[in-house]
Amino acid sequence: QVQVVESGGGLVQAGGSLRLSCTVSGLTFAAYTMGWFRQAPGREREGASCIARSGGSALYADSVKGRFTISRNNAANTLYLQMNSLKPEDTAMYYCAAYLGGGWCALSSNKYNYWGQGTQVTVSS
């Protein structure tokens, strides 16, 4: 049984930082492309960042580029999202997701097969 568990969310002031983690079990983590998605109340889910299975390729949404950094530790079956210079508009539920992928990644949510339950990030102004 595949389990995807996010952690690290919380309440932070604008300009602050948070580091999200996502631990995956039940699949061969190193064979999966991983992504972070977010959904704010009343808005559609959007892709924030993704990383290829080797960690050699990553993509960022324009809204987070230069502020967020995605990384992964395949030995520890863990995905990370370092979020700096947080803004109130970053407030959302953040989800970790996986799909069996190759040497690149995509931010299309319909490609992802496995999802976590999410971790809430709230940025106060």
Side-chain angles (χ1 to χ4, degrees):
Q1 182 180 358
V2 176
Q3 288 191 315
V4 180
V5 181
E6 303 95 337
S7 62
L11 174 63
V12 64
Q13 289 188 330
S17 298
L18 282 174
R19 189 193 197 203
L20 305 184
S21 298
C22 170
T23 301
V24 181
S25 60
L27 52 74
T28 303
F29 183 76
Y32 281 74
T33 293
M34 299 298 300
W36 286 102
F37 292 79
R38 63 186 186 179
Q39 187 167 20
R43 302 190 67 176
E44 292 188 357
R45 183 170 53 191
E46 65 168 348
S49 182
C50 64
I51 187 167
R53 60 187 183 184
S54 68
S57 176
L59 287 177
Y60 296 91
D62 288 344
S63 56
V64 307
K65 201 172 293 182
R67 300 186 298 120
F68 290 10
T69 302
I70 193 170
S71 61
R72 62 190 296 162
N73 181 337
N74 285 348
N77 289 5
T78 303
L79 176 74
Y80 304 98
L81 186 69
Q82 178 67 43
M83 305 186 296
N84 298 329
S85 302
L86 282 161
K87 305 174 181 180
E89 51 264 43
D90 294 317
T91 295
M93 185 71 79
Y94 282 72
Y95 299 92
C96 173
Y99 73 87
L100 191 61
W104 52 280
C105 71
L107 286 173
S108 302
S109 61
N110 58 7
K111 295 183 72 69
Y112 291 77
N113 307 111
Y114 301 105
W115 293 81
Q117 293 299 306
T119 186
Q120 178 68 39
V121 171
T122 302
V123 184
S124 63
S125 58

